[in-house]
Amino acid sequence: MTGSGDRSSDGWGVPPGGVDVRRPNSARMYDYYLGGSANFAVDREAAEAGLSAMPYARDYAVANRAFLRRAVAYLLEQGVGQFLDLGSGIPTVGNVHEIAHQQDPRARIAYVDHEPVAVAHAQALLEGDELVSIDQADIRRPDEVLNAPGVARLDFHRPVGVLAVAILPFVPDQQEATALTAAYRRACAPGSHLAVTHISQLAASSEQVAAAEEVMAQTPTPVRWRGPEEIAELLHGYELVEPGLVPTASWRPERAPTEDEVARANAYAAVGRC
């Protein structure tokens, strides 16, 4: 866990250009929950407020990261050797390229994020790696994403693993979110996959959900919690692989999770094939 105190630049010397450190940011809050260092005092304060409102916030982040590892490994086993990571966030330990290159050193990864700190951090981390790229683009604009320089280096005539881990809650409108997943599906060749996690009410009370949404409403990226039926709509057009749409900790776990672990993650996950 990152330390306490006011680290206004947190290892950057000065914040990257164009970064507003006066308002908390969801990507940097998520980084804080995962124990990263690319966050600012305002993000830590909001993250701690989030923990007060929703004590399971860190469980959610950790469960998402564990699912990401399992999903990427599964896709590599299916012969998928290129990945488009939508809303990749801060590249903390265990990100897609690290997971993929352990199994396939030739795998190509295109990260996309709208948050300047995430992009600046990734650019510094990935400098000189010809197989991994980061583009600053808004995932709500598929044409912008698909034409971004790094993404354009993927071969969309071959299967692509599209990763939408903990990102679709930031597209609150159901119709827009469903249209987005459809747009990325249409861009991909048959045999491509979509891996999704989405925050959902399991252990959380209705009061906690409302409080958590209120915290995120103070950031530039408010969130929407969805039930499994709404999440399933986002996967329209995909054939879900076993075990289908299930609580995140229950998707092909490396060990059987406890009921408490399943509930505290407050999220569902699925991988679909088109």
Side-chain angles (χ1 to χ4, degrees), residues 175-225:
Q175 185 174 354
E176 180 186 8
T178 304
L180 277 179
T181 56
Y184 288 109
R185 185 185 73 247
R186 290 192 298 269
C188 293
S192 296
H193 292 71
L194 173 69
V196 169
T197 68
H198 199 295
I199 197 165
S200 192
Q201 187 176 356
L202 293 172
S205 68
S206 296
E207 292 75 16
Q208 289 172 327
V209 171
E213 289 182 333
E214 184 176 347
V215 168
M216 294 307 299
Q218 307 307 310
T219 76
T221 49
V223 299
R224 173 176 175 174
W225 292 52

Side-chain angles (χ1 to χ4, degrees), residues 33 46-55 57 208 211 215:
Y33 288 140
E48 290 296 337
L51 283 172
S52 296
M54 175 58 63
Q208 289 172 327
V215 168

Side-chain angles (χ1 to χ4, degrees), residues 159-172:
V160 176
V162 179
L163 308 173
V165 175
I167 189 63
L168 293 174
F170 298 106
V171 187

Side-chain angles (χ1 to χ4, degrees), residues 28-246:
R28 302 193 304 257
M29 291 166 64
Y30 195 80
D31 173 72
Y32 176 75
Y33 288 140
L34 288 171
S37 60
N39 50 74
F40 304 103
V42 67
D43 306 307
R44 294 189 292 279
E45 291 167 5
E48 290 296 337
L51 283 172
S52 296
M54 175 58 63
Y56 311 115
R58 187 169 287 117
D59 300 88
Y60 169 71
V62 171
N64 281 325
R65 183 50 55 100
F67 166 81
L68 178 68
R69 181 177 65 251
R70 301 194 302 273
V72 169
Y74 170 81
L75 294 179
L76 288 164
E77 291 169 1
Q78 306 311 302
V80 176
Q82 46 183 357
F83 297 88
L84 171 57
D85 190 355
L86 300 174
S88 54
I90 309 293
T92 49
V93 173
N95 221 315
V96 177
H97 68 284
E98 295 180 331
I99 302 166
H101 287 163
Q102 289 178 359
Q103 292 182 234
D104 181 2
R106 299 170 299 175
R108 183 175 292 280
I109 295 90
Y111 292 118
V112 175
D113 205 282
H114 193 240
E115 149 60 19
V117 168
V119 174
H121 196 123
Q123 286 173 337
L125 178 71
L126 302 172
E127 186 176 4
D129 192 332
E130 296 183 355
L131 292 173
V132 189
S133 64
I134 176 73
D135 290 301
Q136 185 172 353
D138 189 338
I139 67 121
R140 295 171 299 178
R141 299 170 181 163
D143 289 343
E144 173 186 327
V145 169
L146 295 168
N147 287 296
V151 178
R153 291 164 59 189
L154 301 178
D155 182 359
F156 283 90
H157 294 97
R158 297 189 297 114
V160 176
V162 179
L163 308 173
V165 175
I167 189 63
L168 293 174
F170 298 106
V171 187
D173 183 82
Q174 183 73 4
Q175 185 174 354
E176 180 186 8
T178 304
L180 277 179
T181 56
Y184 288 109
R185 185 185 73 247
R186 290 192 298 269
C188 293
S192 296
H193 292 71
L194 173 69
V196 169
T197 68
H198 199 295
I199 197 165
S200 192
Q201 187 176 356
L202 293 172
S205 68
S206 296
E207 292 75 16
Q208 289 172 327
V209 171
E213 289 182 333
E214 184 176 347
V215 168
M216 294 307 299
Q218 307 307 310
T219 76
T221 49
V223 299
R224 173 176 175 174
W225 292 52
R226 288 182 169 96
E229 296 82 6
E230 290 180 305
I231 300 170
E233 289 181 11
L234 308 182
L235 296 157
H236 179 73
Y238 287 92
E239 178 184 356
L240 301 191
V241 304
E242 291 294 333
L245 178 64
V246 295

Side-chain angles (χ1 to χ4, degrees), residues 9-41:
S9 59
D10 291 39
W12 291 95
V14 295
V19 174
D20 184 357
V21 298
R22 297 168 299 177
R23 296 186 67 188
N25 177 274
S26 58
R28 302 193 304 257
M29 291 166 64
Y30 195 80
D31 173 72
Y32 176 75
Y33 288 140
L34 288 171
S37 60
N39 50 74
F40 304 103

